[in-house]
Amino acid sequence: MTDHAKQAEGSAGDPIVLIVDDDPSMRRALTNLFQSVGLKVEAFSSAAEILEAKPPAVPSCLVLDIRLPGASGLDLQADLAKANIHTPIIFITGHGDIPMTVRAMKSGAVDFLTKPVRDQDMLDAVQAAIERDRKRRDAEKSISGVRSRFEGLTARERDVLALVASGLMNKQVAAELGLAEITVKIYRGQIMRKMGAKSLADLVRMTDALGIPRNRGHLQT
Amino acid sequence: MTDHAKQAEGSAGDPIVLIVDDDPSMRRALTNLFQSVGLKVEAFSSAAEILEAKPPAVPSCLVLDIRLPGASGLDLQADLAKANIHTPIIFITGHGDIPMTVRAMKSGAVDFLTKPVRDQDMLDAVQAAIERDRKRRDAEKSISGVRSRFEGLTARERDVLALVASGLMNKQVAAELGLAEITVKIYRGQIMRKMGAKSLADLVRMTDALGIPRNRGHLQT
DNA sequence: CTACGGCACAAACCTACGTATAGCTCGCAC
DNA sequence: GTGCGAGCTATACGTAGGTTTGTGCCGTAG
């Protein structure tokens, strides 16, 4: 409740803007723009370069010229998605067309700006993108602990967890798995302990966050 | 498990494509195209017209020329959003620009096609849009029953529900609300009955679906 | 005034949950 | 083999959850 400082430190820690543009003057202009509002910047001149760099550990976004030497901006977007890197992307283009724009936006781009780009538009877009990334990271972090604890469960404990979280009583779980009720109770206790759940409600929310399928679970209309 | 037919009947019931275009020949061409693949069609010539019509009760999508007499396609999109109508929109345009495209896509459009539109592109977009609407309707329907049952709870029952769903024991709920434990138990039973929940897990999921705030509830990392 | 519904509580009773202690088998690593 | 952990069970005991039946107060709609 009172650890705001710690939490902000953990999930923020100075956002960074990543720029990919083959035009040195553009890189310089963008770098200056972002630094003028106190943002950290890292600039690259090609898609290959940024793919070699390690993905940032802080809230960040990508400012990407759609026309790049070698792989285009859209290709890079696809590559990053394939590599499970979800840094929000802002495209800039001098002569883009509508199909290209649609494709980029459908693939999750946060914005698509046309040159000449107004400084304020760019800053607004970057602000929104970083905010989005921060939220995504927070959400990711909040379930990563749950996920790792789940990994620590034995196979049988997971079986029991799935059925308990779907609302079955211990005796029903036992019948379903061919066990004695007492066995289920013991596993159940171990599950609560290992998962760090302080109540059944906690446990249910954890399993839902993990996307564990419910063997029996209905919210009937 | 075996009621595919029933379910399809309940949530589908023949999708419909709504067309808004001031060009009669375009309306005719699109109408023919969609009817050729067995889709129902309703065509309008202006934004005002479709706003007067009642929103469809079946999975549907909107095919919208961005340039319309009176209110533009983007205006109509905003009006529909304001009216809480979430029919997916596919834009078509003869001379749209990129900022317009970005604005439409950010506002939730499923696609943005440029004239001349290839039939297959249009059909693909419509298919995707209708599928999206079908999913949205299914989700909406599945919580509407829960929501209406929640409306039937008394003020006190809602208090108890919030605390129970956040994982507190009856005695803790009682202390929090200044009640006797037995009173909480009785309310709890009434809640389960009124909400149609067969287990605490059910109840927790319902409250989460309803977005009921948790007075005490932590998924600590 | 009377009836009704919401709110609150109590005693009694039953079921479900949870833990502790103890004991068993099996497979695997040392 | 010895030890270890997973898996499984039993007895016993205490706590939490849940229903029934009955009581009473309050406000309001008829």
Side-chain angles (χ1 to χ4, degrees):
Chain A
M1 288 295 183
T2 62
D3 48 15
H4 269 137
K6 273 269 185 287
Q7 191 160 349
E9 197 181 274
S11 80
D14 287 358
I16 188 169
V17 180
L18 307 173
I19 299 170
V20 184
D21 200 312
D22 61 320
D23 176 1
S25 71
M26 195 68 188
R27 286 204 300 273
R28 222 173 311 122
L30 287 172
T31 300
N32 286 338
L33 173 62
F34 296 136
Q35 286 180 342
S36 77
V37 295
L39 286 166
K40 284 190 182 172
V41 176
E42 197 159 346
F44 305 85
S45 62
S46 73
E49 256 185 67
I50 196 170
L51 281 170
E52 284 170 29
K54 65 175 193 337
V58 295
S60 51
C61 75
L62 219 56
V63 175
L64 205 54
D65 196 310
I66 199 109
R67 186 170 300 277
L68 291 172
S72 84
L74 290 175
D75 294 337
L76 177 54
Q77 182 182 33
D79 288 347
L80 289 172
K82 220 173 296 172
N84 216 32
I85 296 171
H86 302 291
T87 306
I89 299 178
I90 295 158
F91 286 103
I92 51 181
T93 179
H95 30 266
D97 56 17
I98 287 182
M100 196 179 266
T101 309
V102 170
R103 187 178 150 203
M105 296 298 287
K106 280 209 264 189
S107 301
V110 291
D111 221 323
F112 201 103
L113 305 174
T114 50
K115 293 181 192 173
V117 178
R118 292 196 309 127
D119 285 358
Q120 195 53 53
D121 288 349
M122 176 57 83
L123 291 176
D124 289 348
V126 163
Q127 203 54 51
I130 284 177
E131 184 56 22
R132 181 194 286 198
D133 197 39
R134 199 191 55 72
K135 286 206 177 109
R136 196 190 54 77
R137 283 170 188 276
D138 280 356
E140 183 60 40
K141 197 185 59 169
S142 81
I143 72 157
S144 72
V146 176
R147 197 185 308 281
S148 69
R149 288 198 291 269
F150 177 76
E151 304 294 338
L153 296 183
T154 69
R156 217 50 171 152
E157 285 164 353
R158 293 179 199 191
D159 292 343
V160 172
L161 172 56
L163 295 170
V164 165
S166 71
L168 296 194
M169 290 186 308
N170 288 340
K171 66 171 63 171
Q172 294 174 299
V173 175
E176 198 79 21
L177 297 176
L179 298 176
E181 188 183 349
I182 181 67
T183 310
V184 173
K185 287 185 182 180
I186 289 169
Y187 283 143
R188 190 167 171 158
Q190 289 169 348
I191 292 165
M192 295 292 282
R193 192 171 36 75
K194 288 189 181 178
M195 294 298 290
K198 293 180 308 308
S199 65
L200 178 58
D202 264 17
L203 203 63
V204 168
R205 294 197 172 93
M206 287 180 186
T207 59
D208 282 5
L210 290 172
I212 291 174
R214 293 191 285 291
N215 303 32
R216 275 169 160 66
H218 341 251
L219 283 200
Q220 80 276 50
T221 45
Chain B
M1 292 294 184
T2 62
D3 47 13
H4 269 137
K6 272 269 183 286
Q7 191 159 350
E9 196 182 277
S11 80
D14 289 359
I16 187 168
V17 181
L18 307 173
I19 299 170
V20 184
D21 201 314
D22 60 322
D23 175 3
S25 72
M26 194 69 187
R27 285 205 300 274
R28 221 173 311 121
L30 287 172
T31 300
N32 286 338
L33 173 63
F34 296 135
Q35 286 180 342
S36 77
V37 294
L39 285 166
K40 283 190 181 172
V41 177
E42 197 158 346
F44 304 85
S45 61
S46 74
E49 256 185 66
I50 195 170
L51 280 170
E52 284 169 29
K54 67 175 187 344
V58 295
S60 51
C61 74
L62 220 55
V63 175
L64 205 54
D65 197 311
I66 198 104
R67 185 171 300 278
L68 290 172
S72 84
L74 289 176
D75 294 336
L76 177 54
Q77 182 183 33
D79 289 346
L80 290 172
K82 219 172 298 174
N84 217 30
I85 296 171
H86 303 290
T87 307
I89 299 178
I90 295 159
F91 286 103
I92 50 180
T93 177
H95 30 266
D97 57 17
I98 288 183
M100 196 179 265
T101 309
V102 170
R103 186 179 151 202
M105 296 297 288
K106 280 209 263 189
S107 301
V110 290
D111 221 325
F112 201 102
L113 305 174
T114 50
K115 292 181 192 174
V117 178
R118 290 198 309 131
D119 285 359
Q120 194 55 52
D121 288 349
M122 177 57 84
L123 291 176
D124 289 348
V126 163
Q127 202 56 49
I130 284 177
E131 182 57 21
R132 180 193 287 197
D133 197 39
R134 200 190 55 72
K135 285 203 177 115
R136 195 190 55 75
R137 283 170 188 276
D138 281 355
E140 183 60 40
K141 198 183 58 171
S142 82
I143 71 157
S144 72
V146 175
R147 196 184 309 280
S148 69
R149 288 197 292 270
F150 178 75
E151 304 295 338
L153 297 182
T154 69
R156 220 44 173 157
E157 284 164 353
R158 293 178 198 192
D159 293 343
V160 172
L161 172 56
L163 295 170
V164 165
S166 70
L168 295 194
M169 290 186 308
N170 287 340
K171 65 172 64 172
Q172 293 174 299
V173 175
E176 199 79 21
L177 297 177
L179 299 175
E181 190 183 349
I182 181 66
T183 310
V184 173
K185 286 185 180 180
I186 291 169
Y187 281 143
R188 191 168 172 156
Q190 290 170 348
I191 291 165
M192 295 293 282
R193 190 170 38 74
K194 287 188 182 180
M195 294 298 289
K198 293 180 308 308
S199 66
L200 179 58
D202 264 17
L203 203 63
V204 168
R205 295 197 171 93
M206 287 180 187
T207 59
D208 282 5
L210 289 172
I212 292 174
R214 292 190 286 291
N215 303 30
R216 273 167 162 67
H218 341 253
L219 283 201
Q220 80 274 50
T221 43

